Amino acid sequence: MPSLSPVKAPRPDSPRFAPWLRQTMTREDFDALPRSDIEALRRFAVRRTYRRGKTLFRQGDRPDEIMILERGEIELVHQNRGERLVVQILHPGSSIDHLALILGVDHRYSAVALTDATVLRLRLDTVATLEELFPEIAFRWLRLVAHALDRSYERLLQLAGKSAAEQVALLLLDEVAEREEPALELTQDELAATLALSRQTISRVLHDLAREQVLKPERRRIVILDLEKLRAQVNA
């Protein structure tokens, strides 16, 4: 949080924070914000940590904050008549369910911590005040929104028309590139929900890849043993 006044600043999650910003923040303060979008928005947010499996919000809840994923992974899950579909896996730098905020509707899916995760939470009145004072602040958040949308569209294009084995390989390659490590904390159920495939199909594909020594399924994670062999599954 920037030092804008000798008076002690309220916490960013306080309803007094937005009025304090309006009274104290200057153009010089705004121009001095870090170039990194996340670093800049962090000055106005509360950081919260969630353990793996913790629900941030539930499908049907009304959004009341902007949430930005700082560390870890979040899965967006839609449930319908007992079916669980993973809409998207979010990585650091992503805005969490921005569409519900923009459209003014309830959350259409739940957000669940796939790993231990750290999230920045900004009050809507804080964001509204910043946009009123300095409209260009909106671009800081919109860039994060665009990042999440771009990843979603890219994955849809990648998976279109692919076999089950190719879809699994593409998803695993994408996760390895994003996490920069070969051990992925993903279960077969999570893979199945993300790709809208049956668990039996996922199990068969992983069994075939393990037999070819491409990967090693373990409890609640998958270890990639040979990236080149995994890439070959897509280019075959």
Side-chain angles (χ1 to χ4, degrees), residues 82-212:
E83 293 186 9
R84 186 179 188 274
L85 175 65
V86 177
V87 178
Q88 190 176 4
I89 296 176
L90 299 177
H91 298 278
S94 297
S95 178
I96 305 173
D97 198 9
H98 40 268
L99 292 180
L101 279 167
I102 293 173
L103 298 176
V105 298
D106 295 341
H107 290 298
R108 294 173 179 172
Y109 27 70
S110 302
V112 182
L114 188 59
T115 66
D116 291 350
T118 303
V119 173
L120 302 178
R121 305 183 69 122
L122 290 83
R123 290 175 56 94
L124 294 185
D125 56 353
T126 295
V127 176
T129 297
L130 288 170
E131 290 179 346
E132 181 181 338
L133 295 172
F134 312 105
E136 56 267 48
I137 192 71
F139 289 101
R140 296 290 188 111
W141 179 54
L142 288 175
R143 275 197 290 259
L144 300 179
V145 170
H147 172 73
L149 288 174
D150 184 60
R151 283 188 51 80
S152 179
Y153 294 150
E154 182 180 359
R155 178 165 288 182
L156 284 174
L157 292 174
Q158 283 181 335
L159 299 179
K162 302 295 185 181
S163 67
E166 289 173 320
Q167 289 185 48
V168 170
L170 281 167
L171 179 58
L172 293 177
L173 286 169
D174 190 41
E175 292 299 312
V176 169
E178 189 69 43
R179 306 183 194 194
E180 298 182 341
E181 61 178 62
L184 306 175
E185 294 186 21
L186 281 173
T187 67
Q188 293 189 28
D189 286 336
E190 289 165 345
L191 271 176
T194 301
L195 295 173
L197 298 172
S198 70
R199 193 183 187 284
Q200 290 77 13
T201 298
I202 295 295
S203 179
R204 173 177 54 78
V205 171
L206 293 181
H207 176 78
D208 291 343
L209 293 175
R211 185 178 56 197
E212 297 175 24

Side-chain angles (χ1 to χ4, degrees), residues 56-68:
L56 282 70
F57 56 77
R58 299 186 182 279
Q59 183 175 321
D61 288 349
R62 195 73 174 180
D64 58 359
E65 293 176 304
I66 286 178
M67 287 181 278
I68 300 167

